[in-house]
Short mmCIF file of all heavy atoms in Angstrom, two decimals:
data_model
loop_
_atom_site.label_atom_id
_atom_site.label_comp_id
_atom_site.label_asym_id
_atom_site.label_seq_id
_atom_site.Cartn_x
_atom_site.Cartn_y
_atom_site.Cartn_z
N HIS A 107 7.20 6.11 5.15
CA HIS A 107 7.12 7.55 5.33
C HIS A 107 8.15 8.09 6.30
O HIS A 107 8.22 9.30 6.55
CB HIS A 107 5.71 7.94 5.79
CG HIS A 107 4.68 7.82 4.72
ND1 HIS A 107 4.26 8.87 3.94
CD2 HIS A 107 4.01 6.70 4.28
CE1 HIS A 107 3.33 8.42 3.10
NE2 HIS A 107 3.19 7.13 3.26
N SER A 108 8.96 7.21 6.86
CA SER A 108 10.03 7.61 7.76
C SER A 108 11.25 6.76 7.58
O SER A 108 11.14 5.58 7.14
CB SER A 108 9.57 7.52 9.24
OG SER A 108 8.49 8.37 9.51
N ALA A 109 12.42 7.30 7.92
CA ALA A 109 13.66 6.51 7.83
C ALA A 109 14.41 6.63 9.12
O ALA A 109 14.36 7.67 9.83
CB ALA A 109 14.51 7.04 6.67
N TRP A 110 15.16 5.59 9.41
CA TRP A 110 16.01 5.52 10.61
C TRP A 110 17.45 5.45 10.10
O TRP A 110 17.74 4.53 9.34
CB TRP A 110 15.61 4.25 11.40
CG TRP A 110 16.36 4.00 12.65
CD1 TRP A 110 17.09 4.86 13.45
CD2 TRP A 110 16.38 2.73 13.34
NE1 TRP A 110 17.56 4.24 14.51
CE2 TRP A 110 17.17 2.92 14.52
CE3 TRP A 110 15.88 1.46 13.07
CZ2 TRP A 110 17.41 1.88 15.41
CZ3 TRP A 110 16.13 0.44 13.95
CH2 TRP A 110 16.88 0.66 15.14
N VAL A 111 18.24 6.41 10.48
CA VAL A 111 19.63 6.46 9.99
C VAL A 111 20.59 6.57 11.12
O VAL A 111 20.23 7.02 12.22
CB VAL A 111 19.81 7.66 8.98
CG1 VAL A 111 18.87 7.55 7.82
CG2 VAL A 111 19.66 9.02 9.73
N ASN A 112 21.82 6.20 10.89
CA ASN A 112 22.82 6.29 11.93
C ASN A 112 23.57 7.60 11.83
O ASN A 112 23.35 8.44 10.92
CB ASN A 112 23.75 5.08 11.93
CG ASN A 112 24.65 5.00 10.67
OD1 ASN A 112 24.43 5.73 9.72
ND2 ASN A 112 25.59 4.07 10.72
N GLY A 113 24.52 7.83 12.80
CA GLY A 113 25.25 9.07 12.81
C GLY A 113 26.08 9.30 11.61
O GLY A 113 26.26 10.42 11.13
N ARG A 114 26.64 8.20 11.05
CA ARG A 114 27.50 8.33 9.87
C ARG A 114 26.69 8.84 8.66
O ARG A 114 27.15 9.67 7.88
CB ARG A 114 28.18 6.99 9.55
CG ARG A 114 29.30 7.11 8.49
CD ARG A 114 30.04 5.82 8.43
NE ARG A 114 31.15 5.89 7.50
CZ ARG A 114 32.37 6.32 7.80
NH1 ARG A 114 32.62 6.71 9.03
NH2 ARG A 114 33.36 6.36 6.90
N ALA A 115 25.47 8.34 8.55
CA ALA A 115 24.63 8.80 7.45
C ALA A 115 24.26 10.29 7.62
O ALA A 115 24.25 11.03 6.65
CB ALA A 115 23.33 7.93 7.37
N LEU A 116 23.92 10.67 8.84
CA LEU A 116 23.62 12.09 9.08
C LEU A 116 24.82 12.97 8.75
O LEU A 116 24.68 14.03 8.12
CB LEU A 116 23.26 12.29 10.56
CG LEU A 116 21.90 11.74 11.02
CD1 LEU A 116 21.80 11.86 12.52
CD2 LEU A 116 20.74 12.47 10.36
N ALA A 117 26.04 12.50 9.11
CA ALA A 117 27.25 13.30 8.85
C ALA A 117 27.48 13.40 7.33
O ALA A 117 27.83 14.51 6.81
CB ALA A 117 28.45 12.68 9.52
N MET A 118 27.30 12.29 6.60
CA MET A 118 27.52 12.35 5.18
C MET A 118 26.55 13.29 4.48
O MET A 118 26.90 13.92 3.45
CB MET A 118 27.39 10.93 4.59
CG MET A 118 28.51 9.98 4.95
SD MET A 118 28.30 8.31 4.26
CE MET A 118 28.41 8.66 2.53
N ALA A 119 25.31 13.38 4.99
CA ALA A 119 24.30 14.25 4.39
C ALA A 119 24.41 15.66 4.92
O ALA A 119 23.70 16.57 4.45
CB ALA A 119 22.92 13.71 4.72
N GLY A 120 25.33 15.91 5.90
CA GLY A 120 25.48 17.25 6.42
C GLY A 120 24.33 17.72 7.26
O GLY A 120 24.07 18.94 7.39
N ILE A 121 23.62 16.77 7.89
CA ILE A 121 22.45 17.12 8.70
C ILE A 121 22.91 17.34 10.12
O ILE A 121 23.48 16.49 10.75
CB ILE A 121 21.38 15.98 8.66
CG1 ILE A 121 20.90 15.75 7.23
CG2 ILE A 121 20.22 16.32 9.56
CD1 ILE A 121 19.96 14.56 7.08
#
Side-chain angles (χ1 to χ4, degrees):
H107 289 262
S108 297
W110 181 20
V111 302
N112 66 350
R114 192 171 183 87
L116 290 171
M118 289 179 65
I121 299 173

